[in-house]
Structures are given as structure tokens and as C-alpha cells.
Amino acid sequence: MTTANDLALLSDKARAFIHRDKGLFIGGEWRAASGGGTIGVVDPSSGEEITRIADASKADVDAAVAAARRALGDSAWADLQPFRREALMLRLADAIEAETRSLAEIETLNSGKLIGNTMLFDAELPVHSLRYVAGWASRLNGETMDLSVPYLPDMRFSGFTRRYPVGVVAAITPWNVPLCMAVWKLAPVLATGCTIVLKPAEQTSLTALRLAELCAEVGIPDGVVNVITGTGAGAGRMLVNHPGIDKINFTGSTEVGREIAVSAARNFKKYNLELGGKSPLVITESADLDQAIPGAAWAIFGNSGQNCCAGSRMLVHEKHYDAVLAGVREIAGSIKIGPGLDPQSQVAPLSSRLHRDRVSAHVEAARASGADVFGGECLDGPGSYFSPAVIAGLDHGHSTAQEEIFGPVLCAFSFANDDEAIALANQTRFGLGASVWTRDIDCADRYFDALEAGTVWINTHNILDLAMPFGGDKESGVGHELAREGVLSHTRLRSGIKARPSR
Ligand code: NAD
């Protein structure tokens, strides 16, 4: 395979950013890590180091949290009227929109993802996200009510609620949709008047650093947005354990989410967790196969399977099983695998060699157990290319069918009736997404009620919208992101009770 000479393909703006020194953005200023540590950033399509980022130390984490705390109480932010916060968010959206191409290029170079994918999901979706959430800044209302207070019959009371910013938010993001995740964490912070310390994934921190530059350029007051880079076990852990943090907003693996929940509980911090998944995709007897077969293929091969909701367990009615398996394998075998910056590529490399080794180990474990494996090979040459895998004949309890792989690996199973399908679909510790494919409305309703997942799709998969709350059941998360719920979770509700004169 020929790999693109990625740096040469970049726009001047993206290239200039890649060549700039990368520091920590704390209190409106850029600084190197106090311990002098740095981390190499690798282009997954070539395997080459493209730049280095700072590795924040404890002193840096302390400084970032202190800057965020100061900004939270500073009148430059605390007294800013809601419509002015909204205006700042709209300016940030405009600034991102003005450079979607270079942001997408940086993201593709850093994450390996397809340029079409980073344009849509890392560059353009954040613009829409900021514009959607900006409107909430001036709509954060409480309620008023007449109270009964039955044990004081001669008195009258009125009640009211008011929302306040929850405080300093620690936001930690994964490497699969880096800029989008960073903006999804930032937007409700700005809308509600909170402040943030953002730590992006160490593998893909570049666009978060560019986002920090844009925040400064549009005039967000110093200290409101702080971005520190570093490892999860280092800066990430120090940040979530920091006593100056009021809320943790984490997206990442279930294992790290569990550690964060324990740490947050110890200090009564608020938190929400968007975690892993092993999402079922159920093709029922009444499905339209022309729709379901490509739907199933792209539910797992899109973004090289590096989606938290990827449809990694395909359950097919026995009547359609052979046709669906053959159809999905045909798509898997015809996919053009190549560098993310090549517009002809349909599947890009995995995020790193280390990750590819993990994905490959899951496929090999299935092969060793006697399953019928199509594809699933590490491709020769530089970079971390991996061919999509479709596995049949695996025991549903096998670790490859139960653990999140986060790669283009589909496990297929057949079922005889809907009861069996629902039982299989729910046989997982995760509960993030699920889809059902059917032309029968009663069947759709039945699955919608029975599937244990935060989001259930009907005749589609992996679609998210800003207006829909997004969150996981079971071990896939706590709380919700996006929509009204995602914004309100950044507020503290205070109840007020006022005695009124008797008539
Ligand atoms: P990860 O949990 O290893 O890392 C995520 C982030 O947490 C990174 O920034 C990392 O540096 C940091 N981190 C790691 N250890 C930490 C610790 N002990 N304390 C604090 N921070 C720590 O996950 P990943 O491999 O980067 O991302 C893939 C995972 O993210 C998958 O499980 C995927 O399903 C999940 N994910 C979930 C959603 C969702 O919305 N539910 C979306 C995208 C990804």
C-alpha cells in the first residue's frame, strides 16, 4: 500500500499549526509543561511522529484548576449576561466554521481518520453544536409555584427554583472523535457560566489545542477555558482527583469510567460518564434487506469501527442469515482501505499500532476458537491498517462477542424468533446503542421497549442529533450529554421558599 506524504497534502494553515510549539493553555496563556515532559504524536497512516505535545505535571494541573476557579468568580465571566455568553459561543462557532478544512486536516493527520469523516464530525458538527447549545444560555429558567405546606394552614408560601453554574468542570475526552467531543464538553460549560479544564486523549490532542487558540481569539475571558495535555494515568487522574473540581464530564472506556465514578463519589463530585458499548443490530424477519445489509456493514465499518455505538453484534433472523452474512462480507471485501487524507479511501487506519494489536488479538482469539473469520488482517507496511472482519459461528459468550473491540470487527449470529433475539441482544454488560431493522411497526415498538440501551434506532444506526439526549444504560454510562439534559446537568438547582403575607 502506498501511504500519502501527509504533511505535503496539508493546507498552509494546518501545516503551520503542526509546526508550532504546543504548550498547555492555562489562564489564557501558553506555557510548557513545568517538568519539561513531552509526548510524541504519531500519524497512524504513516506511523511517523509529526509533533510533540506537553505532558502536564501535578503543578500544571493545579495551575489549570486554580485558573478555572479564579475565572468562575471573576466578574468578567460571572457577571456576563446570558446573551453575551451566547454571543461568544456564536463567535466561536463562526471561527471554527471559517477553518473547518484545516481543522479536519489536522484531525485526520493526528487520528488517521478519513478526511470526509473529520470534515463532517470533527469540524462541522462542532459548529452546529455550539450554535444549538448557545441558545440555552438565555433559556436557563427556574420555576415558580404555589406551595401547600399543609402543617401551617394559616400561612401562605410561594416556591421558586433557580439554576446556577455547577462550577469548575474537568472534561476528559477519547481519541475517536476528538474535536467534536471537546466541543460537546465545552459548549454546555459556556452556556451555563461554568469554567473548564479540558484534557483531551494524549493520542489526539492537536485540535483541542487549536480550539484553545480560537477561544482566546474570539475573546472568551482568560481562565474560562483551560486545555492541558498529558497521559490518562498522569494528568487525567490528577485532574479528576483534584479537590478544586466540581463536576467531571468523561467520555472513554468503561474501566476508566468506573475508576472516575469511585473517585468522584468519595468527594461527592457531580459526574457524567459516556462509556463503552457492544451494540446489537437486529435484522428481523420483516426487515428490508436492501436497506439492512449496507446499514449493518457501515454501522460497524464506519470510522473503522472506532465508534462507541458501533453495531458490533449483528443478530439476523435465520431466514435471512445466509444472505445477510454474504452481503456484509461482500461489502467488507470491496472496501478501499487507505490513508485518511486520500479522498478515495473508504476505511482509514486504526488509531495506532498498539490499538491495532488489540483489535487483531480479538480476531485471532475468535479464529483460534474455530469461528469462521472473514478478513481481519493487519496489512503490511507502515501505519496501522487493518482489514474489516466479519466473524460467524462464534459462541455468543466468547470474549470477542462480549468485549468492546473498538475496531471494524463484526460478530454475526442467527435467531429463530423475536424472544430469542431480544434475549441475545440484551446479553451484554453494556447498554449504549441498539438498532432494529423491520418493516413492521408493532415489531419496532416491541424491540424499542425491550432493548436495554440508551439509544434505540429503527432502520438506522449510529445517528446522533444535538436535540436528542445521549447516554448509556448498564455499564455504558451515567447521565446524558447533548440536548436539554446535557446542558442542565451543568447547573445546580436551588429551591427557594418565601413566606407571603396572609390574606
Ligand atoms: P480511555 O478510557 O482509555 O481514555 C479516555 C480518556 O481518559 C483519555 O483522555 C485518557 O487519557 C483518559 N484517561 C485514561 N485513564 C485515566 C484515568 N485513570 N483517570 C483519568 N483519565 C484517564 O478510552 P479511549 O481508548 O481513549 O477511548 C475509547 C473508549 O471511549 C471506548 O471504550 C469507547 O466506547 C469510549 N467512547 C464512548 C463514547 C460515548 O459517548 N459513550 C464516545 C466515544 C468513545
Side-chain angles (χ1 to χ4, degrees):
M1 171 166 317
T2 53
T3 51
N5 182 353
D6 292 340
L7 274 176
L9 292 173
L10 296 188
S11 58
D12 291 346
K13 199 161 199 165
R15 200 174 319 107
F17 174 79
I18 296 294
H19 289 313
R20 274 207 286 286
D21 281 347
K22 318 271 177 325
L24 308 168
F25 187 64
I26 297 176
E29 288 173 358
W30 289 95
R31 55 170 92 165
S34 62
T38 59
I39 301 171
V41 178
V42 173
D43 169 5
S45 67
S46 67
E48 285 166 20
E49 182 172 304
I50 45 173
T51 186
R52 297 189 74 79
I53 54 170
D55 187 8
S57 66
K58 178 166 186 318
D60 299 321
V61 174
D62 288 346
V65 176
R69 284 232 80 83
R70 266 195 311 279
L72 186 69
D74 192 308
S75 61
W77 184 238
D79 296 340
L80 208 62
Q81 294 137 299
F83 85 105
R84 293 198 192 281
R85 293 203 304 272
E86 181 175 345
L88 276 175
M89 293 176 73
L90 294 175
R91 277 166 63 185
L92 183 59
D94 291 347
I96 295 175
E97 190 171 46
E99 51 183 82
T100 47
R101 177 73 201 179
S102 65
L103 284 166
E105 288 175 355
I106 295 166
E107 201 68 275
T108 287
L109 185 71
N110 190 172
S111 66
K113 297 196 305 175
L114 297 175
I115 187 74
N117 180 306
T118 55
M119 271 302 281
L120 283 179
F121 299 110
D122 286 296
E124 292 174 7
L125 193 53
V127 175
H128 298 297
S129 308
L130 277 162
R131 288 182 181 148
Y132 170 82
V133 180
W136 280 104
S138 50
R139 289 161 184 76
L140 294 170
N141 58 304
E143 292 179 322
T144 60
M145 56 220 101
D146 282 337
L147 303 181
S148 303
V149 195
Y151 48 88
L152 292 173
D154 298 333
M155 294 184 71
R156 296 175 67 219
F157 297 91
S158 60
F160 53 96
T161 60
R162 214 186 143 150
R163 292 190 179 274
Y164 296 89
V166 75
V168 177
V169 176
I172 301 200
T173 52
W175 46 258
N176 65 328
V177 203
L179 183 57
C180 181
M181 292 285 158
V183 169
W184 281 4
K185 304 288 184 231
L186 173 63
V189 161
L190 298 178
T192 53
C194 295
T195 60
I196 188 170
V197 180
L198 167 68
K199 194 211 79 68
E202 52 271 43
Q203 301 90 336
T204 55
S205 294
L206 297 187
T207 48
L209 296 173
R210 181 66 193 131
L211 178 66
E213 291 180 350
L214 293 175
C215 288
E217 279 170 37
V218 301
I220 294 174
D222 292 348
V224 171
V225 179
N226 306 277
V227 178
I228 57 170
T229 51
T231 63
R237 190 175 275 148
M238 289 187 273
L239 181 60
V240 298
N241 289 332
H242 200 290
I245 296 297
D246 299 299
K247 174 185 165 94
I248 302 162
N249 190 354
F250 172 78
T251 300
S253 62
T254 292
E255 285 57 43
V256 175
R258 195 188 313 275
E259 179 185 325
I260 289 175
V262 169
S263 151
R266 214 175 279 127
N267 302 296
F268 297 98
K269 287 176 186 158
K270 318 266 185 253
Y271 61 92
N272 63 289
L273 307 172
E274 305 292 339
L275 308 176
K278 190 76 181 177
S279 299
L281 179 148
V282 186
I283 300 180
T284 66
E285 188 176 5
S286 57
D288 173 350
L289 296 194
D290 290 342
Q291 198 188 17
I293 291 172
W298 290 106
I300 182 68
F301 303 142
N303 203 21
S304 304
Q306 300 171 133
N307 285 329
C308 50
C309 295
S312 49
R313 287 184 300 134
M314 180 176 75
L315 315 180
V316 189
H317 189 273
E318 58 189 13
K319 195 169 117 188
H320 303 312
Y321 182 75
D322 290 344
V324 170
L325 186 64
V328 171
R329 284 183 165 176
E330 192 183 329
I331 294 173
S334 67
I335 283 172
K336 184 171 180 331
I337 304 167
L341 282 172
D342 180 348
Q344 303 301 318
S345 304
Q346 292 175 302
V347 160
L350 296 177
S351 64
S352 68
R353 279 277 171 133
L354 186 66
H355 182 49
R356 185 176 78 168
D357 290 347
R358 275 194 228 117
V359 173
S360 174
H362 279 290
V363 174
E364 291 317 313
R367 229 188 281 275
S369 79
D372 167 16
V373 178
F374 176 93
E377 308 284 351
C378 297
L379 305 194
D380 289 340
S384 41
Y385 297 89
F386 188 79
S387 63
V390 183
I391 302 175
L394 191 64
D395 186 291
H396 189 262
H398 190 280
S399 62
T400 301
Q402 288 294 320
E403 292 307 313
E404 184 182 41
I405 299 177
F406 223 54
V409 180
L410 178 65
C411 298
F413 304 91
S414 77
F415 63 85
N417 56 54
D418 293 334
D419 286 342
E420 191 191 349
I422 289 166
L424 271 179
N426 290 339
Q427 256 170 44
T428 167
R429 66 188 174 107
F430 298 109
L432 193 56
S435 67
V436 57
W437 298 71
T438 175
R439 285 179 284 199
D440 174 345
I441 191 160
D442 291 338
C443 172
D445 279 348
R446 176 165 182 217
Y447 276 88
F448 189 87
D449 288 341
L451 293 174
E452 296 167 357
T455 299
V456 176
W457 293 281
I458 299 161
N459 294 325
T460 189
H461 197 105
N462 264 340
I463 301 293
L464 301 183
D465 190 84
L466 309 168
M468 291 293 293
F470 178 63
D473 286 341
K474 294 157 86 173
E475 295 191 22
S476 289
V478 175
H480 285 89
E481 202 154 46
L482 308 181
R484 183 172 183 268
E485 286 79 357
V487 176
L488 295 188
S489 72
H490 287 72
T491 63
R492 266 176 221 285
L493 194 63
R494 181 165 299 161
S495 296
I497 297 181
K498 189 162 75 182
R500 300 171 66 196
S502 306
R503 265 190 239 266

